[in-house]
Amino acid sequence: MKFIIYNVRDDEIPFVEKWGRDHHVEVVTTTTTLNTETVNEAQGFDGVSCLQTIPYTKELFEAFHRMGIRYLALRNVGVDNIDRAAAKANDVTITNVPAYSPESIAEFAVMMALYLTRKVGYMRQQLQDQHEFHFSPEFMGRLISEQTVGIIGTGRIGRAAIHLFHGLGAKVIAYDKYPQKSTNGEFTYVDRLETLLNQSDIISLHMPATSDNHHLFNHEVFEEMKANAILINTARGSIVNTNDLIFALESGEIAAAGIDTLENESADLQDSRSTKKVADAELIKLSVMPNVLVTPHSAFHTTESVKNMVNISLNNLKAMVMGEKPANLIDEN
């Protein structure tokens, strides 16, 4: 039994090596992205582990089939970049890691909200651009406990974020197409998304990307939000129309944004060894705004998350190769 891990980062390697020793399985790592040009590296392996935001295409799964590879274990949650019909047609079984550390992403979302609420970006701009460093009345922020936080998506990550915002004293409301039965007294569901948009001072996104919510946050939605509203996106980039977001920030339709996931993320974003300079005009524009905090899809990145992503992914692969049912089939979670 032997596995290959694509897109491996330096921080993952110690956990990969330990898992291989503990389970007496040969695990080979490569820093390359999995695509039709690199899939030949998987020849002779029993399964593939991968972490990337670029597409897993029909052509890729056809290559899997030709090579006799039947198992792909993702090290992340999202499956919106997978041609699932093509995977099924080519007899490729796929697993993901639906809960590697909800708290890691939730804490990051709260950190972004605090950074933006207390106008830290304006303080940094004063020092970096104006070479000044002093107190300014313009930096006056607001307490989280003074605000209404709207959570969209109340799965594991959304509930973890709710718990943290509630702990800071915020009034928390939430919207989900499939609301859970219990709120533990920490939040209140609203029946309509428009209600959440109209009432929230901070809106934090925690739902998967689907065809239904592509560009859900666009010009019309930004117009419905409060002028002092802060948008936090640690979910998926496709949910927010980046061009409309920039307009909303520049025109004052909303006050600030924390963006950890971007539209059309390149493979370089998850490549810790990449030396390419940022060339995306929209990303550059967002990065220099004092009312924006933009990060490279890093909300998940804690020691606990990385360990769980590696271990759960490889456990899933081992179970599939041994003819057992893995815990995290994507068609069942």
Side-chain angles (χ1 to χ4, degrees):
M1 186 185 304
K2 60 179 183 176
F3 304 142
I4 182 169
I5 296 188
Y6 281 82
N7 308 90
V8 75
R9 300 186 311 268
D10 291 341
D11 56 284
E12 294 179 298
I13 290 175
F15 299 109
V16 172
E17 292 176 344
K18 183 178 186 304
W19 187 94
R21 290 193 302 269
D22 291 347
H23 294 266
H24 307 289
V25 174
E26 179 184 354
V27 185
V28 174
T29 62
T30 176
T31 61
T32 56
T33 299
L34 178 60
N35 55 44
T36 54
E37 296 179 357
T38 62
V39 69
N40 288 334
E41 293 183 37
Q43 184 71 56
F45 287 88
D46 298 300
V48 174
S49 171
C50 199
L51 170 65
Q52 62 192 46
T53 55
I54 67 171
Y56 299 86
T57 63
K58 176 184 176 182
E59 292 75 18
L60 178 64
F61 291 121
E62 288 173 345
F64 267 45
H65 186 73
R66 289 194 300 271
M67 297 166 62
I69 297 174
R70 298 179 53 205
Y71 308 116
L72 172 62
L74 308 184
R75 302 195 300 281
N76 59 289
V77 179
V79 297
D80 55 292
N81 55 336
I82 297 174
D83 188 332
R84 295 167 71 167
K88 185 175 182 180
N90 286 282
D91 197 28
V92 178
T93 304
I94 303 176
T95 61
N96 69 344
V97 184
Y100 42 80
S101 177
E103 294 78 12
S104 297
I105 298 173
E107 284 186 8
F108 202 87
V110 173
M111 178 278 294
M112 284 185 147
L114 287 166
Y115 177 100
L116 295 165
T117 297
R118 297 302 300 269
K119 299 188 176 179
V120 177
Y122 289 92
M123 302 177 199
R124 289 173 57 84
Q125 185 187 61
Q126 181 197 73
L127 179 61
Q128 293 173 348
D129 296 349
Q130 302 172 27
H131 304 293
E132 298 176 5
F133 192 55
H134 54 78
F135 173 85
S136 171
E138 296 177 359
F139 299 158
M140 185 171 66
R142 299 177 64 193
L143 292 172
I144 296 292
S145 58
E146 294 180 324
Q147 302 180 72
T148 297
V149 176
I151 302 291
I152 304 179
T154 54
R156 296 178 180 92
I157 299 170
R159 291 295 290 259
I162 287 170
H163 181 71
L164 293 173
F165 279 116
H166 175 76
L168 289 171
K171 175 185 176 181
V172 184
I173 59 176
Y175 175 79
D176 197 310
K177 287 185 176 180
Y178 308 99
Q180 299 187 18
K181 293 181 180 179
S182 172
T183 66
N184 293 328
E186 293 184 330
F187 68 103
T188 303
Y189 276 114
V190 295
D191 294 331
R192 300 171 65 248
L193 178 60
E194 290 74 17
T195 303
L196 184 143
L197 298 174
N198 293 334
Q199 295 183 8
S200 299
D201 302 295
I202 299 168
I203 296 176
S204 192
L205 309 182
H206 298 288
M207 68 281 217
T210 66
S211 57
D212 291 339
N213 63 30
H214 181 76
H215 283 182
L216 173 65
F217 276 75
N218 54 30
H219 179 64
E220 290 75 19
V221 167
F222 292 129
E223 284 187 318
E224 292 189 49
M225 292 168 60
K226 290 185 175 182
N228 70 337
I230 295 171
L231 176 67
I232 307 294
N233 185 12
T234 56
R236 283 296 199 187
S238 63
I239 299 171
V240 177
N241 183 313
T242 307
N243 188 60
D244 288 0
L245 172 64
I246 291 171
F247 179 85
L249 291 162
E250 291 180 332
S251 65
E253 287 179 345
I254 66 172
I259 304 297
D260 185 56
T261 56
L262 300 157
E263 286 192 87
N264 306 312
E265 291 180 356
S266 70
D268 293 313
L269 193 67
Q270 286 293 318
D271 182 359
S272 59
R273 298 173 180 84
S274 175
T275 58
K276 289 187 176 181
K277 302 298 183 182
V278 176
D280 185 281
E282 292 180 334
L283 175 55
I284 292 172
K285 183 171 284 189
L286 287 169
S287 70
V288 298
M289 292 182 178
N291 56 340
V292 174
L293 178 57
V294 59
T295 53
H297 209 137
S298 299
F300 75 94
H301 200 215
T302 62
T303 307
E304 181 70 11
S305 286
V306 175
K307 177 182 70 175
N308 290 340
M309 292 164 77
V310 168
N311 290 347
I312 294 171
S313 172
L314 291 173
N315 286 340
N316 285 333
L317 274 184
K318 184 179 178 183
M320 289 188 285
V321 171
M322 295 182 67
E324 301 170 358
K325 183 178 180 180
N328 308 116
L329 289 169
I330 64 170
D331 290 327
E332 295 185 6
N333 58 43

